[in-house]
Amino acid sequence: MSEAAVICVDIGSTWTKGAIFRRDEDRFSLVKRASVTTTTDHLPDAFYAVLEQLSTSHGEDGRAPLYFSSSAKGGLRVAVVGLVPEMSLHIARLAAFSAGARVVASFPYRLGRASIAEIESSQPDILLLCGGTDGGNERYVTENAQVIAASNFGGTIVYAGNNLATDAVADALANRKLVVCENLMPEYGKLNTEPVRNAIRTVFLDSIVTGKGLSEIVARFGVSPVPTPLAVFNLVQAMGEHLEDWQNFALIDLGGATTDFYSFSEAWFPESDAIIKGIIEPKVKRTVEGDLGMRISAESTFISGGDYLRTALGDEGVLSLQDYVHRLLQNPAHLPTDPKEIEFDRQLAGACIHHAMLRHAGTVEEVFTTKGPVLVQAGKDLRRIDKIVGTGGYLAACARNQQSVSIGDQMPEAAEKVPLVPQSFSYFADRDYLLPFIGCLAKDFPKQAALTAVDCLVQSGDQVQIPSPTLCKGGHFL
Amino acid sequence: MRPKNIVLGVIGFDCHSVGNKILESFFTEAGFKVHNLGVMVSQEEFINAAIETNSKAIMVSSLYGHGEIDCAGLRERCIEKGLDDILLYVGGNLVVGKTPFAEVEEKFLKMGYDRVFGPDCSLEHVAELLHQDLLSREEKED
């Protein structure tokens, strides 16, 4: 293989997949791909098998550079302990998501016995401890550090809280693996998430990689993995920063267990005439919904998406969907066999996307003041998003089989708080499911990766319009 | 040295922002670390900010005449959230009409506010009282 090739491998919990790309002047193009079943007891086996299938000489002899990502063995599991739910805890969750983590537990205020038990049983790789502005509250983080010190939690603690409490926290956690970084909310309401993201990445490379059995690959090829969602996050960022037409877009990664929603767009537009409450969320944002997914999470999707599914399928339809969901639990690898099952999958996917989008988006409400009506926004405004990308096994297959996808076309007609969801957008599918690979390249080759990603996308269907819910108070809506 | 954190904001659906900016710079000059929440601040937001910033005082402004409704219950809510000893200052055009200030003051003191100020109070005086009140709280804690 010539110098102008790169190999990307993604180790997932079920499949280990690889691809060779040829590196042209300004972009990459796919040469060959391969996949094998992930060997959970020894991840490198599947990794080598994929390289073999790609039948190429690789990084070992210094020719084609190798990049790899992993979400195997539960991915990067983070528990978050913050102070006020809407403030430091919320920022900590956003920071963890943007580092490619799954947030397995999160707690505000003081950790009690039940919370500690939950942290211990959810077995996070990292516990992110924060709270207090710099010079602000010290009591909660200090006391929580003491409680954590007395627990059985064995992973690494990343402390990103009040700088004045650092010594007390470090003293309490003297016998633990502790990484201290800058406060993620140094001033009230101000985000500072880069240092936490870096700290999480370092911990991932230093200790988690070993724990997940990836160090053999690192030692042999001299390259480090990224958590798969971080690869996708980096790609979303690269696309927004390097492509003129992709200034406001979202990406949905719909999986069997989770639904990840990424957005690239300013969180708040001063000219929207709305006053913002709470924090101004980051331009690149990722959220993960652990209860929304097509297979392992089918039952929780059925519960969370109850109203959506009832509207879509009617009462009888929901009953037969329930049977289908029960069958999926028995056999998560099941693929739909008839038009009815295809429709069930379509509606499950619709419910996942609908709720993931609503939870990712902020809201606006109209309040009356002595100066007339005023719009008050909380969370991120996604209304300018004009493109949505769908990736993940199911959405890729839909594109290949030319099946229609249901994306958020069901919204409440009127609400006190109107969700700030996209209003009119084109839908693009990652038909060949290449984005995780391209994501691996986004850090080193941002512009090329961004261009390559767009090459892989297939626009499908007409422009999607989400009927904008009107404010029930009858006011104006910008 | 630990900063003297205080939370500042205009309560309720009140959008008067000019005075709020003046208060922010005045109290900053007077040696406080001001966490200014701006206009249209709910009781919950005041309390959340006080917790994260470890503020020992919440400075509530109200200028549009609905102060009584907006301010009622803040003390109880602070206690619910564990802010037992926090100082609550309130000032502005607290009620509509020409109620004598002494009556207004009494009403807000009963609601649990520590100090009540009319629209024409001297800011130097407020800052001085705030320093004193914070000092006596600290002594009480020690």
Side-chain angles (χ1 to χ4, degrees), chain A residues 52-63:
Chain A
E52 187 118 322
Q53 276 196 20
L54 293 171
S55 65
T56 172
S57 53
H58 32 72
E60 218 170 359
D61 49 8
R63 278 190 274 176

Side-chain angles (χ1 to χ4, degrees), chain A residues 124-297:
Chain A
D125 302 304
I126 293 174
L127 192 156
L128 173 55
L129 174 65
C130 67
T133 53
D134 279 348
N137 195 299
E138 297 167 45
R139 204 182 73 201
Y140 285 92
V141 283
T142 309
E143 290 177 7
N144 283 340
Q146 288 159 356
V147 174
I148 293 162
S151 75
N152 292 327
F153 169 70
T156 304
I157 296 131
V158 171
Y159 176 65
N162 181 359
N163 61 353
L164 281 190
T166 303
D167 289 347
V169 167
D171 287 348
L173 296 167
N175 299 320
R176 300 289 173 138
K177 288 173 274 181
L178 174 70
V179 174
V180 175
C181 67
E182 279 176 35
N183 194 343
L184 47 74
M185 185 176 71
E187 292 276 328
Y188 189 70
K190 295 278 186 309
L191 276 74
N192 177 39
T193 52
E194 272 317 297
V196 187
R197 295 185 67 216
N198 286 333
I200 292 176
R201 188 164 62 227
T202 310
V203 175
F204 177 77
L205 294 178
D206 290 350
S207 44
I208 300 167
V209 165
T210 315
K212 312 254 182 213
L214 297 167
S215 48
E216 185 181 317
I217 301 170
V218 177
R220 191 152 160 200
F221 299 102
V223 287
S224 301
V226 287
T228 310
L230 179 59
V232 177
F233 186 93
N234 290 340
L235 180 63
V236 168
Q237 185 164 15
M239 287 167 73
E241 284 174 359
H242 292 277
L243 305 174
E244 223 169 277
D245 293 344
W246 292 76
Q247 288 310 296
N248 295 287
F249 74 101
L251 184 147
I252 300 159
D253 185 349
L254 174 56
T258 65
T259 303
D260 294 19
F261 199 102
Y262 303 76
S263 61
F264 187 98
S265 183
E266 289 295 346
W268 173 61
F269 302 93
E271 64 273 26
S272 74
D273 219 21
I275 290 177
I276 184 108
K277 281 288 157 197
I279 61 164
I280 297 181
E281 295 193 337
K283 190 169 185 181
V284 200
K285 175 183 172 185
R286 169 180 180 246
T287 46
V288 186
E289 308 305 338
D291 62 332
L292 301 174
M294 296 296 290
R295 289 296 179 262
I296 295 170
S297 302

Side-chain angles (χ1 to χ4, degrees), chain B residues 60 62 66-72 75 88 90-91 93-95 101-117:
Chain B
V60 179
S62 177
H66 301 259
E68 196 178 335
I69 294 173
D70 291 340
C71 293
R75 172 60 74 191
L88 297 180
V90 64
N93 296 310
L94 296 175
V95 293
F101 180 70
E103 279 178 36
V104 176
E105 185 179 25
E106 200 194 326
K107 196 173 265 180
F108 280 81
L109 288 174
K110 267 193 188 155
M111 278 189 226
Y113 289 83
D114 298 280
R115 303 271 180 192
V116 186
F117 304 96

Side-chain angles (χ1 to χ4, degrees), chain A residues 84 188, chain B residues 6-12 20 35-53 55 57-62 70-71 74 78 83 86 88-89 113:
Chain A
V84 171
Y188 189 70
Chain B
I6 62 170
V7 172
L8 174 72
V10 187
I11 200 166
N20 172 260
H35 303 278
N36 186 11
L37 307 179
V39 299
M40 296 180 70
V41 180
S42 68
Q43 291 192 358
E44 199 65 29
E45 287 174 276
F46 276 111
I47 292 167
N48 285 345
I51 294 172
E52 292 271 10
T53 62
S55 288
I58 295 178
M59 316 289 282
V60 179
S61 305
S62 177
D70 291 340
C71 293
L74 180 61
C78 285
L83 298 172
I86 195 156
L88 297 180
Y89 277 33
Y113 289 83

Side-chain angles (χ1 to χ4, degrees), chain A residues 8-39:
Chain A
C8 302
V9 179
D10 178 52
I11 306 173
S13 40
T14 318
W15 295 99
T16 297
K17 292 170 283 192
I20 304 180
F21 291 91
R22 188 179 63 242
R23 194 179 157 199
D24 302 327
E25 205 160 293
D26 62 343
R27 61 191 67 206
F28 297 92
S29 46
L30 179 69
V31 176
K32 192 176 180 185
R33 59 191 302 165
S35 67
V36 303
T37 309
T38 294
T39 42

